[in-house]
Amino acid sequence: MTQAQLQETANIPAHIDEPGIRKWQDYFSFNTDHKVIGLQYLVTSFIFYCIGGVLADLVRTELRTPEVDFVSPEVYNSLFTLHATIMIFLWIVPAGAGFANFLLPLMIGAKDMAFPRLNAVAFWLIPPAGLLLIISLVIGDAAEAGWTSYPPLSLVTGQVGEGIWIMSVLLLGTSSILGAINFLVTLLKMRIPTMGFHQMPLFCWAMLATSALVLLSTPVLAAGLILLAFDLLAGTTFFNPTGGGDPVVYQHMFWFYSHPAVYIMILPFFGAISEIIPIHSRKPIFGYKAIAYSSLAISFLGLIVWAHHMFTSGIPGWLRMFFMITTMIIAVPTGIKIFSWLATMWGGKIQFNSPMLFAMGFVGTFVIGGISGVMLAAVPFDIHVHDTYFVVAHLHYVLFGGSVLGIFAAIYHWFPKMTGRMMNDFWGKVHFALTIVGLNMTFLPMHKLGLMGMNRRVAQYDPKFALLNEICTYGSYILAVSTLPFIINAIWSWLYGEKAGNNPWKGLTLEWMTTSPPAIENFDTLPVLTTGPYDYGVAHAPANVSPSENPVLRADADEPYPSIESDIETRT
Amino acid sequence: MKIPSSIWTLLIGIGLTLVSLWYGQNHGLLPTAASDEAVLVDGLFNTMMTVSAGIFLIVEGVLIYCAIKYRRRAGDHEDGPPIEGNVPLEILWTAIPAIIVIGISVYSFEVYNDIGGFDPHAIHEAPIMQESMAMPGTALAATLNDTPPSNEPNLNQQKSDEAMQDPATAAVRNADQIPQKREAPGVGSVSPSLGASPEKAGKPPELEVNVTGLQYAWIFTYPETGVTSGELHVPIGREVRINMTANDVIHAFWVPEFRLKQDAIPGRQSELRFTPKTAGDYALICAELCGPYHGAMRTQVVVQKQEDFDKWIQEQLTASNDTLKEAIALNPATVSPDEFLAPYTKEMGIHPEMLHQIHK
Ligand code: HEM
Ligand SMILES: [Cu+2]
Ligand SMILES: [Cu+2]
């Protein structure tokens, strides 16, 4: 498509034939408005979070005692397999896509995504994929081979469950590829004319990096899974050693996607945190370019570290060193982000509301996962702790402390924009306190468990680990309880919450320059930038302006929506 | 008296360093170090803990300091100062982590080399021809020695073949026979996993043990004596080489006290060299998900004095003179799955009735 055609698509969104409808039924239909789709993603993925969380608590309940006394070992394996699959593919990844859907067009002043119908298709692949998994669990034949599904084990446990698992993950992979194409084209082609790359909010940069990563890595996973399906269902032996296949080849293909996947899960929330911290500290983000480019660096490096999951499985010695070094290097751009966030807060005027608390919790917790990640990169040490609870601790500090706290920060932050109402701050703080306590109580002891000799994915373990496991289990119950205030708060606030106004946080990025919730096509007139996205405290961007008379952003009624020529000229 | 901020910074820096150094040595997070390799790995870990404690304290410290010092006071609606960057500072915090990770990499590299990660000897011996001739269903007569391929029988394969004959185990294993590839196809090298340490490179190991992993047991054979056992005995101070493979699915050989782990992969052979240091009984744990009873797949490693080891070998030899098959101490071939799992469950405090109920 040419630029002109794309601009057309944006200006005439596919939902134009039903302008203005905003009934609750819209959320259950093939709606093409990016904001509806964003909310569909977020609500759906949150439901899966609750399901994944219940599975986690069942897993932990089994692990409360060293014996197998709660579920059978077979069921136990299905529980943690589905827990991980759901948390990754049905919660964190789609939640990132949900925010991207809602925010990207608003942040760059577009009326919708580049391909609204494709956008809806990408979303509607998710519910069937999730249902498949849940059905397999209900009929008692769910996959048992872990979310990594390594052959030959995945070929000799239940065929039905494994087949369903492959199908489901393929659907989810397809969905995220379609989503990524849309994000990329939207970001590259549909920014308002005055917005060069360096005027883009950092969340947009993060999504740029994420989408590129999705496009490069997901197809490899799909290929691996299709070959696995052949082995499973058609009797081929790509990975099956009984016919001369090689299981290690599967591991390469799997991790070529699944390592980048952790960046796919965390980069969007790095982006969100970079939005939230400056607003609530009332200071410009420190080191805008460094943060923007470090996202790209993480995305690039993320593609060449996969074999660090295979240090004990059979790769040549020199290759382990290569992957050790690439993995270590990722710590540098990640560190840049963390230090920049701290510097943004330094000297600021920090407002302790729920989004900021979650953002600070994110930084404080993610650091622990990052540090243990660097340790794991050191080959001789990884050889000791690979496949133990040390790894389980590390990955939860990254995924729970990083992604999940990031998601909550983002929900509290953009809830007023999405619904037009504020969330209750007191219950937000209760939610935060319970989460931080539960999180550390559940996952901190796991470091020691792993170092001392507890392997992961076991339903029974040495009684000497009983005490620490009991602590972890009670921590996980606190985590379960912690979501209750959030759920009630979200529903109640959506219905009856205090009216938010258009710009309750006095933000400077474009999404705050329109109504809350935004109208069908986002902006009445073409927005024009007169300042950067984070110019807090800068002379021409006074802090205390009512949103309607914000001089920072001049919505010029006479200006037509962008003409193609001016668009090409001004874009950097 | 007002203390200048540079002095505060200095004091805090010294305090942080001391705390980190102390913690790096006194974290008490690792089990006994029972092999020469473990001592090296622990040195690396302690160093990383020192650095990590420092970084952790700095980041959390700054976070909490900001939270207290820079919180918005009631009634203050101003913005903070518009500081957008500071090039020297940014260079500093890019350079310091870069230097730290380079340092850790170099240290890891050293340790990895010392524990035999680069054993070039093992790599050059890769019998590429042999491996490409591996055919399904044939026990590949690959040697388990350092010498180029010979026609010596593969004891790993023989033992697992024997175990396979028994329907009781075949049932839980779901596999017939898996051809053993000596190593990664196409790469043309034995990935030695962990080979000999540099000073021992090129020398044969002082003791060899072949290990086969199968759902849910380890079988050890001592090629020099032909002893077969369900638990691993090794003498103190002699370098051992473990040659491993798996019959059905991937298993992983892990002895936490040795700090060593290696996957046993069906169709491949991998090896691990180490020198046991401290006498004792340690758990050998399967670290790769291998099925529902993965958690029960564990046995003992007995590190003992040379005399005790020799005595043990003698006992095993006498026992095996009659029926080799029965001598496999915990050979699942001779027992039902329930019986086979019973000793493990007792050791781990699981009630046998429970197991009986849940085992289909
Ligand atoms: C609600 C709190 C959570 C609890 C209590 C919890 C608990 C657990 C436990 C105990 C395991 C280990 C299972 C085993 O090795 O036998 C596990 C594995 C895992 N969890 Fe969670 N988890 C939680 C949240 C999350 C979240 C938010 C994610 C996000 C992605 C996640 C992703 C994973 C993954 C990827 C694994 C690895 C599974 C495997 O080893 O195959 N978990 N979880
Ligand atoms: Cu095993
Ligand atoms: Cu196992």
Side-chain angles (χ1 to χ4, degrees):
Chain A
M1 256 201 256
T2 67
Q3 180 124 6
Q5 282 166 322
L6 281 169
Q7 205 73 53
E8 255 340 85
T9 340
N11 292 340
I12 311 166
H15 50 77
I16 198 80
D17 37 318
E18 46 203 309
I21 36 167
R22 265 303 164 72
K23 301 190 301 289
W24 64 269
Q25 290 95 328
D26 288 357
Y27 292 101
F28 296 88
S29 67
F30 191 82
N31 198 302
T32 50
D33 182 342
H34 72 97
K35 298 179 289 298
V36 174
I37 295 177
L39 286 173
Q40 286 174 325
Y41 265 106
L42 285 172
V43 173
T44 310
S45 59
F46 185 79
I47 292 171
F48 283 113
Y49 175 55
C50 296
I51 298 172
V54 169
L55 298 182
D57 277 353
L58 294 178
V59 166
R60 282 293 352 155
T61 304
E62 170 61 71
L63 293 174
R64 200 175 63 80
T65 55
E67 302 89 37
V68 195
D69 48 9
F70 179 63
V71 290
S72 73
E74 287 86 359
V75 172
Y76 179 84
N77 287 7
S78 294
L79 287 178
F80 74 72
T81 301
L82 289 204
H83 159 68
T85 311
I86 287 175
M87 286 296 192
I88 291 176
F89 295 108
L90 285 157
W91 160 233
I92 297 194
V93 174
F99 285 112
N101 260 302
F102 192 93
L103 294 171
L104 290 185
L106 287 168
M107 283 180 162
I108 60 171
K111 293 192 169 188
D112 204 324
M113 283 287 181
F115 311 112
R117 285 198 188 83
L118 188 70
N119 205 13
V121 172
F123 168 74
W124 281 106
L125 288 172
I126 292 176
L131 274 181
L132 276 176
L133 284 181
I134 290 165
I135 289 172
S136 73
L137 193 66
V138 171
I139 62 173
D141 208 349
E144 285 179 31
W147 78 282
T148 49
S149 220
Y150 279 5
L153 183 65
S154 53
L155 303 173
V156 300
T157 52
Q159 234 189 9
V160 179
E162 192 60 31
I164 291 180
W165 183 88
I166 292 174
M167 187 66 217
S168 166
V169 176
L170 280 176
L171 282 175
L172 294 166
T174 311
S175 160
S176 72
I177 291 177
L178 298 183
I181 292 172
N182 224 335
F183 301 149
L184 270 184
V185 177
T186 306
L187 283 173
L188 294 178
K189 296 288 184 185
M190 294 177 57
R191 279 168 288 131
I192 51 167
T194 40
M195 186 184 280
F197 278 113
H198 288 144
Q199 282 83 48
M200 246 175 19
L202 286 165
F203 181 75
C204 300
W205 277 100
M207 285 315 301
L208 208 59
T210 310
S211 307
L213 205 49
V214 170
L215 285 186
L216 289 169
S217 62
T218 319
V220 179
L221 174 72
L225 291 184
I226 290 170
L227 296 184
L228 188 67
F230 273 114
D231 276 9
L232 183 74
L233 305 171
T236 55
T237 56
F238 292 108
F239 307 131
N240 191 343
T242 40
D246 191 345
V248 179
V249 174
Y250 173 84
Q251 299 183 7
H252 281 291
M253 297 184 83
F254 179 82
W255 288 115
F256 188 82
Y257 166 77
S258 291
H259 188 82
V262 313
Y263 301 109
I264 295 170
M265 287 181 265
I266 198 131
L267 276 171
F269 306 107
F270 281 171
I273 296 299
S274 306
E275 299 295 325
I276 294 167
I277 288 186
I279 290 197
H280 299 286
S281 308
R282 308 309 307 168
K283 270 187 69 211
I285 187 92
F286 192 96
Y288 172 91
K289 285 190 186 167
I291 295 186
Y293 296 152
S294 65
S295 291
L296 298 184
I298 290 174
S299 160
F300 171 73
L301 288 168
L303 285 169
I304 48 171
V305 303
W306 77 89
H308 67 212
H309 295 273
M310 300 166 63
F311 286 154
T312 67
S313 79
I315 57 170
W318 63 271
L319 207 55
R320 298 189 201 189
M321 291 296 112
F322 172 79
F323 281 102
M324 171 171 87
I325 290 163
T326 53
T327 308
M328 292 266 181
I329 292 175
I330 289 206
V332 176
T334 315
I336 291 176
K337 281 184 193 290
I338 290 181
F339 294 127
S340 301
W341 291 326
L342 291 177
T344 306
M345 293 194 289
W346 192 272
K349 312 232 164 163
I350 299 172
Q351 311 175 15
F352 288 106
N353 45 28
S354 317
M356 188 61 186
L357 281 177
F358 273 97
M360 291 174 80
F362 175 104
V363 177
T365 318
F366 177 77
V367 160
I368 301 177
I371 290 174
S372 58
V374 172
M375 293 179 143
L376 285 170
V379 174
F381 176 66
D382 178 74
I383 288 177
H384 174 50
V385 292
H386 173 75
D387 260 325
T388 69
Y389 264 82
F390 188 86
V391 172
V392 179
H394 156 74
L395 76 90
H396 284 92
Y397 268 93
V398 174
L399 292 180
F400 201 117
S403 308
V404 179
L405 294 187
I407 294 176
F408 283 128
I411 292 179
Y412 283 101
H413 183 69
W414 279 293
F415 191 88
K417 184 47 64 182
M418 293 173 173
T419 65
R421 291 175 190 271
M422 302 299 287
M423 281 185 85
N424 180 300
D425 202 49
F426 172 78
W427 288 105
K429 285 174 180 160
V430 172
H431 175 205
F432 174 76
L434 285 173
T435 308
I436 289 293
V437 172
L439 167 59
N440 288 296
M441 192 167 150
T442 312
F443 301 117
L444 196 64
M446 290 185 186
H447 290 107
K448 178 158 172 86
L449 285 172
L451 288 163
M452 295 302 291
M454 178 162 165
N455 45 349
R456 85 199 251 208
R457 300 172 162 184
V458 294
Q460 67 259 61
Y461 54 85
D462 194 318
K464 73 179 176 212
F465 300 130
L467 177 65
L468 286 177
N469 272 293
E470 210 164 331
I471 296 176
C472 295
T473 300
Y474 291 124
S476 78
Y477 297 156
I478 296 182
L479 275 179
V481 171
S482 77
T483 49
L484 296 180
F486 170 77
I487 295 174
I488 297 169
N489 189 353
I491 296 175
W492 188 87
S493 302
W494 200 330
L495 297 174
Y496 314 109
E498 180 198 333
K499 285 265 187 331
N502 293 341
N503 192 357
W505 314 123
K506 303 201 188 81
L508 297 179
T509 40
L510 283 184
E511 81 270 25
W512 300 109
M513 303 305 155
T514 182
T515 49
S516 305
I520 285 273
E521 289 180 0
N522 299 346
F523 300 94
D524 296 340
T525 50
L526 173 70
V528 177
L529 295 179
T530 58
T531 176
Y534 308 106
D535 286 350
Y536 302 104
V538 176
H540 61 277
N544 277 312
V545 288
S546 75
S548 57
E549 60 200 33
N550 193 328
V552 168
L553 189 114
R554 181 167 50 89
D556 197 335
D558 299 334
E559 188 126 354
Y561 220 72
S563 69
I564 309 305
E565 298 77 52
S566 70
D567 190 25
I568 291 167
E569 274 165 30
T570 42
R571 196 156 293 175
T572 44
Chain B
M1 186 184 80
K2 184 156 173 15
I3 303 170
S5 67
S6 55
I7 295 192
W8 270 121
T9 318
L10 188 69
L11 287 178
I12 292 173
I14 293 173
L16 268 181
T17 315
L18 290 178
V19 172
S20 308
L21 280 173
W22 179 84
Y23 187 68
Q25 301 303 319
N26 297 285
H27 50 73
L29 288 170
L30 289 167
T32 341
S35 72
D36 290 352
E37 290 72 14
V39 180
L40 299 171
V41 175
D42 288 4
L44 173 64
F45 178 70
N46 292 347
T47 309
M48 293 197 298
M49 278 311 269
T50 307
V51 178
S52 303
I55 295 176
F56 173 82
L57 290 174
I58 291 175
V59 173
E60 307 291 346
V62 171
L63 199 63
I64 292 170
Y65 179 78
C66 284
I68 296 168
K69 179 86 192 289
Y70 301 116
R71 70 185 185 281
R72 196 187 59 139
R73 315 294 148 127
D76 180 354
H77 295 289
E78 300 276 289
D79 279 359
I83 304 163
E84 298 195 10
N86 179 335
V87 175
L89 193 59
E90 291 179 52
I91 291 176
L92 187 75
W93 72 43
T94 308
I96 288 178
I99 290 168
I100 290 176
V101 296
I102 290 171
I104 294 178
S105 298
V106 170
Y107 190 173
S108 305
F109 198 87
E110 281 290 306
V111 172
Y112 186 60
N113 188 30
D114 289 346
I115 64 179
F118 288 116
D119 182 5
H121 188 66
I123 291 176
H124 290 145
E125 299 283 318
I128 302 170
M129 285 306 291
Q130 199 74 16
E131 124 204 342
S132 57
M133 291 189 306
M135 280 196 319
T138 342
L140 169 62
T143 68
L144 299 170
N145 300 324
D146 261 344
T147 42
S150 78
N151 294 325
E152 246 177 81
N154 179 338
L155 280 169
N156 264 352
Q157 191 70 40
Q158 278 180 9
K159 285 304 151 200
S160 64
D161 285 354
E162 274 171 35
M164 271 321 171
Q165 308 297 309
D166 189 285
T169 44
V172 281
R173 254 173 280 124
N174 284 316
D176 301 299
Q177 267 187 346
I178 292 168
Q180 288 184 24
K181 291 187 198 140
R182 177 75 196 196
E183 256 306 331
V187 178
S189 69
V190 172
S191 81
S193 315
L194 287 177
S197 52
E199 65 274 17
K200 289 179 181 151
K203 297 186 200 132
E206 292 168 75
L207 175 71
E208 258 190 295
V209 188
N210 298 335
V211 179
T212 305
L214 41 94
Q215 280 175 326
Y216 302 95
W218 297 104
I219 298 177
F220 303 92
T221 49
Y222 292 75
E224 280 163 35
T225 49
V227 165
T228 302
S229 155
E231 52 180 37
L232 178 61
H233 285 242
V234 282
I236 298 175
R238 273 173 67 188
E239 199 199 22
V240 186
R241 182 169 72 192
I242 302 282
N243 304 304
M244 61 184 111
T245 190
N247 270 354
D248 35 33
V249 300
I250 302 174
H251 303 272
F253 177 100
W254 182 37
V255 185
E257 283 79 3
F258 294 171
R259 316 280 190 272
L260 291 175
K261 185 180 291 112
Q262 173 60 41
D263 287 6
I265 301 170
R268 287 192 179 211
Q269 289 209 346
S270 36
E271 62 186 50
L272 207 54
R273 279 205 195 197
F274 59 91
T275 311
K277 185 170 83 73
T278 317
D281 295 355
Y282 308 107
L284 164 53
I285 299 169
C286 172
E288 180 66 51
L289 176 64
C290 57
Y293 296 93
H294 164 53
M297 182 163 168
R298 43 162 62 222
T299 183
Q300 282 210 322
V301 180
V302 182
V303 178
Q304 51 198 169
K305 290 213 250 359
Q306 185 69 46
E307 312 88 88
D308 297 337
F309 176 75
D310 293 338
K311 217 165 93 205
W312 179 78
I313 288 279
Q314 278 312 316
E315 283 164 16
Q316 299 298 308
L317 278 174
T318 335
S320 65
N321 274 343
D322 316 326
T323 42
L324 187 60
K325 213 165 170 177
E326 265 74 20
I328 302 176
L330 279 168
N331 181 0
T334 54
V335 294
S336 76
D338 282 359
E339 285 172 296
F340 156 64
L341 288 170
Y344 303 100
T345 56
K346 200 162 113 228
E347 179 191 326
M348 308 201 335
I350 299 163
H351 305 296
E353 313 83 77
M354 192 71 70
L355 246 187
H356 190 72
Q357 277 169 7
I358 53 188
H359 199 278
K360 290 188 219 151

